Amino acid sequence: MLRTLIFIICVAPLLLLTACSYRFDFVVTNKSDKPIEVRYQLKRYTPETPEKFIDTNPPAKLSEEEFKKFEHHWHDSSKGQYDFDTKTGMYTVSVTPDEVLLVDFAYNYQGTESEFDLASIQITGAYGSIELHGREAQTSFTYESNRTYVISYR
């Protein structure tokens, strides 16, 4: 009995340390019939030297069809498929109709501003522009199924 109690006391804290971690994706979907341009800047990219940002995480995309599947794997864009401004840390990506762009992700997201790394986002297309900064950008993403937050351009 004492052995069992000691075992439980020793193992219980280990189980708490191995809790599940969930990833939440923040995406832009192009639901229009024309290409759009998405420009965004992440907070976590701070320059090593003044005005010298480093591109460490290329934008990733999926087709709308792939995105709807429960299990999907993002495809990193090659350097020629997007621009990265080393002076501002701004990404510029073209998104075709029925394509989905991953702009950021967070683990175990609870909705606080400190967990949200998107500093600003601008979406421009044939039907107008959307420009969002800070908390406004965060709250403009709508929660959908499968731990995904979405801004849809129509």
Side-chain angles (χ1 to χ4, degrees):
M1 174 75 173
L2 183 59
R3 247 186 196 170
T4 305
L5 183 60
I6 291 172
F7 177 76
I8 291 172
I9 290 171
C10 291
V11 172
L14 292 175
L15 291 175
L16 291 174
L17 293 175
T18 60
C20 293
S21 178
Y22 293 104
R23 176 176 148 155
F24 292 81
D25 291 340
F26 293 85
V27 304
V28 173
T29 62
N30 184 0
K31 303 272 188 184
S32 76
D33 58 346
K34 307 263 192 247
I36 61 173
E37 179 182 86
V38 179
R39 294 172 43 91
Y40 64 96
Q41 182 183 41
L42 300 171
K43 295 178 202 173
R44 67 177 168 256
Y45 292 116
T46 55
E48 287 186 354
T49 57
E51 296 186 3
K52 181 72 172 124
F53 287 83
I54 297 174
D55 173 16
T56 59
N57 198 19
K61 294 181 186 181
L62 285 175
S63 69
E64 182 77 30
E65 187 177 314
E66 287 177 281
F67 179 68
K68 287 179 181 177
K69 296 177 184 174
F70 183 77
E71 286 288 323
H72 53 263
H73 302 284
W74 292 99
H75 308 289
D76 286 346
S77 300
S78 65
K79 288 272 189 197
Q81 295 176 316
Y82 68 95
D83 290 323
F84 180 76
D85 186 334
T86 59
K87 290 185 179 183
T88 64
M90 185 76 70
Y91 286 95
T92 303
V93 186
S94 180
V95 181
T96 60
D98 295 320
E99 195 170 45
V100 181
L101 172 67
L102 174 68
V103 293
D104 196 18
F105 59 88
Y107 289 97
N108 299 324
Y109 180 70
Q110 298 294 313
T112 64
E113 194 169 354
S114 63
E115 299 171 296
F116 190 73
D117 280 336
L118 192 64
S120 66
I121 186 166
Q122 180 180 3
I123 305 167
T124 306
Y127 305 107
S129 296
I130 302 167
E131 188 169 342
L132 306 163
H133 301 275
R135 183 80 173 153
E136 182 184 26
Q138 179 182 5
T139 57
S140 293
F141 284 87
T142 304
Y143 182 75
E144 290 192 359
S145 61
N146 199 19
R147 297 183 304 274
T148 303
Y149 287 83
V150 177
I151 291 178
S152 294
Y153 182 88
R154 297 181 192 277

